Amino acid sequence: MQETVLDVRGTNVRMLTAGTGPRLLFLHGIDGPSADPLLEALAQRFTVIAPEIPGFTRSLIPDWMMSVSDAAFFTLDLITALGASKLHLAGHSIGGWIAAEAAIRSTTALASLSLLAPAGVMPRQAPAVDVFLMSGEEGVRALFHDQALADEEIAARAQLPLDITLQNRAGLARLAWTPRMASVTLAYWLHRIDVPTFIAWGEADKILPFSNHEIFMREIKGAQFKALPHCGHAIPRERGAEVARDMTAFIDGAK
Amino acid sequence: MQVYFFHLMPYGDLDIAESDKHNSAWVTIPNTCFDPSKGMKLYDRYIGELELADQLGFDGVCVNEHHQTAYGLMPAPNLIAAALARSTKQAKICILGRALPLVSNPVMIAEEFAMLDHMSGGRIITGFVRGIGSEYFSNSVNPTFSHERFYEAHELILKAWTDPGPFSYQGKHYQFDYVNLWPRPVQTPHPPV
């Protein structure tokens, strides 16, 4: 994967890009962007563009960006800055929320929308855990159904500079502290999404309840849903290749 | 040198064995661990100790703010300070401190302190803090804006105490069209911070 920096109206956005084909903009989950199995598989068919959401990893958040609403408009500006024709928008977790919020504002530049365990709606049942109330290792374990993958992730994160981990936590808190990982109003506006939409959710998701998918499916007309048994919140790592196949088939079928 | 008596008002009757079953004595420890009948006696005892400190000649008595914890039973330190304003005679009453970023209305803190200044005969000393991490869980306030909110609220409170009202304050986190404190504080230019 290649790393580039794009200036979006004065804010520098670091991006990983890979692959060739139609462009797919992927907004990462709560732990920042990474070359995970999902992006690697998507890059077989798409030009994958995976920016750091401002506030995450090595990107500072601009003073004026105070909410997911701001991040959503910024995403539309980012798409404008990338130029040219429509692209496929996708996001996981916090990134899925931002993608959905961008789409309720405008789908003019979108060819499709894919939401993987998106945050953003008020859960009807309390999440099993609070992402901000766990120690590092405990927090990683809660992301995965497959604890062998959690072991790998814990080992990998031990190699990461601490400031990146802290920056990801602060970036998430900035956008998603109250209400936790949710918006009071997003569900009301989801009906505005008028592009082909694909949604996937891990049945064993402890961070964002699996049942949240019902709200997205009820409000977004014609959306396609994929339930992932034996999968936690970390869809890109736990089921990346499989979900990439499903997304690709969905996008191909929706043409 | 002056000597001050600082009370944290812990829940001394906490069942340690029960407490150890939980991750923390803050935020998530169930409040079923708190026995109101014991709590009432503790408040009586602790306020009595602060009053005794005044009678014994301490230069000041101090209270502070913590939320949802067995560590301290003073989520609203101004309530204790209000009781002490009437029952103590000579000691300074120090509120160290109110956690500014936790509130949505810092003008109310300015108002309460101005009231306490009057009720105590100009004996209060104020303190402003950001509060420790757990307070941002208990009060549902975004910790990433803590610094900004602290400095903004601090500025607003000092202006409310000193600038003639009504005036308008338009910040990033706090906006008030009318700031016009009734009462203004007794001490000039304002209570010590």
Side-chain angles (χ1 to χ4, degrees):
Chain A
M1 293 205 169
Q2 190 189 348
E3 189 175 306
T4 55
V5 177
L6 180 68
D7 180 338
V8 181
R9 293 175 51 81
T11 299
N12 281 334
V13 180
R14 289 173 180 274
M15 307 187 296
L16 296 173
T17 56
T20 54
R23 294 178 310 162
L24 186 148
L25 179 65
F26 184 84
L27 302 181
H28 60 73
I30 63 176
D31 294 307
S34 62
D36 52 47
L38 175 75
L39 293 194
E40 281 167 13
L42 287 172
Q44 304 300 313
R45 275 290 310 279
F46 298 96
T47 302
V48 174
I49 305 163
E52 287 177 4
I53 298 166
F56 284 80
T57 306
R58 286 162 299 170
S59 296
L60 297 177
I61 193 163
D63 267 356
W64 52 263
M65 194 181 286
M66 295 176 70
S67 66
V68 166
S69 171
D70 297 322
F73 279 117
F74 183 79
T75 300
L76 294 174
D77 276 359
L78 167 63
I79 292 170
T80 303
L82 286 167
S85 55
K86 294 189 177 196
L87 51 67
H88 301 283
L89 179 61
H92 171 226
S93 186
I94 178 73
W97 179 8
I98 296 169
E101 292 263 359
I104 65 173
R105 284 160 176 74
S106 172
T107 53
T108 304
L110 307 186
S112 73
L113 179 67
S114 295
L115 306 174
L116 311 181
V121 295
M122 304 292 281
R124 276 176 294 189
Q125 65 184 79
V129 298
D130 176 354
V131 284
F132 294 113
L133 205 55
M134 291 181 288
S135 69
E137 182 172 331
E138 196 185 3
V140 175
R141 294 212 172 280
L143 291 174
F144 288 87
H145 175 72
D146 181 346
Q147 290 301 301
L149 286 173
D151 288 336
E152 284 177 21
E153 182 71 12
I154 289 163
R157 286 201 197 178
Q159 308 302 315
L160 267 183
L162 183 61
D163 58 342
I164 287 187
T165 307
L166 291 175
Q167 177 89 355
N168 285 336
R169 212 165 168 78
L172 183 67
R174 172 82 162 237
L175 299 176
W177 188 264
T178 304
R180 200 69 104 229
M181 305 280 280
S183 151
V184 175
T185 55
L186 174 63
Y188 181 77
W189 297 113
L190 286 173
H191 74 93
R192 290 175 49 83
I193 296 174
D194 56 1
V195 291
T197 299
F198 173 81
I199 295 167
W201 221 296
E203 291 182 1
D205 193 326
K206 290 182 181 164
I207 309 295
L208 297 167
F210 175 74
S211 60
N212 281 13
H213 81 268
E214 293 164 12
I215 300 168
F216 285 91
M217 291 303 295
R218 188 184 68 216
E219 301 299 333
I220 304 175
K221 279 192 189 65
Q224 181 172 317
F225 181 62
K226 166 88 177 197
L228 301 165
H230 312 298
C231 179
H233 189 60
I235 295 173
R237 292 216 172 269
E238 290 203 85
R239 303 288 273 279
E242 175 188 342
V243 169
R245 273 198 306 277
D246 293 331
M247 277 174 65
T248 305
F250 172 74
I251 288 170
D252 286 346
K255 272 176 189 166
Chain B
M1 187 175 76
Q2 297 197 353
V3 181
Y4 285 64
F5 180 87
F6 202 143
H7 218 310
L8 298 176
M9 295 198 169
Y11 182 59
D13 290 307
L14 184 67
D15 179 342
I16 300 297
E18 180 61 28
S19 167
D20 284 346
K21 293 178 189 167
H22 305 281
N23 276 342
S24 171
W26 298 73
V27 184
T28 55
I29 184 169
N31 66 0
T32 47
C33 293
F34 175 83
D35 178 344
S37 65
K38 289 176 177 167
M40 195 164 68
K41 289 182 188 136
L42 279 177
Y43 276 108
D44 185 52
R45 173 186 149 189
Y46 290 160
I47 293 171
E49 287 168 357
L50 286 156
E51 290 165 345
L52 181 62
D54 171 58
Q55 292 155 22
L56 292 174
F58 279 85
D59 295 293
V61 291
C62 312
V63 295
N64 86 336
E65 172 179 347
H66 285 298
H67 299 262
Q68 301 186 11
T69 173
Y71 177 87
L73 300 176
M74 269 190 290
N78 285 6
L79 291 184
I80 307 297
L84 296 173
R86 297 294 291 175
S87 63
T88 63
K89 298 301 172 209
Q90 55 81 30
K92 298 281 188 191
I93 300 168
C94 315
I95 304 99
L96 305 176
R98 287 297 318 265
L100 302 187
L102 304 185
V103 301
S104 55
N105 181 359
V107 175
M108 194 172 280
I109 290 179
E111 288 174 333
E112 288 179 5
F113 278 140
M115 287 175 67
L116 284 172
D117 208 24
H118 284 272
M119 291 159 61
S120 67
R123 285 187 288 134
I124 66 161
I125 296 174
T126 67
F128 298 136
V129 297
R130 286 172 51 221
I132 60 175
S134 65
E135 315 296 4
Y136 291 81
F137 288 83
S138 299
N139 291 275
S140 213
V141 168
N142 193 320
T144 68
F145 293 119
S146 170
H147 274 110
E148 291 179 4
R149 285 167 70 93
F150 177 84
Y151 287 112
E152 215 172 275
H154 191 283
E155 178 188 43
L156 173 54
I157 289 169
L158 288 189
K159 281 172 76 72
W161 282 344
T162 54
D163 287 10
F167 65 84
S168 156
Y169 184 89
Q170 304 299 330
K172 179 176 174 186
H173 296 279
Y174 302 108
Q175 303 86 28
F176 290 85
D177 290 328
Y178 306 100
V179 182
N180 190 19
L181 235 55
W182 288 76
R184 292 192 287 131
V186 173
Q187 299 181 78
T188 54
H190 55 74
V193 177

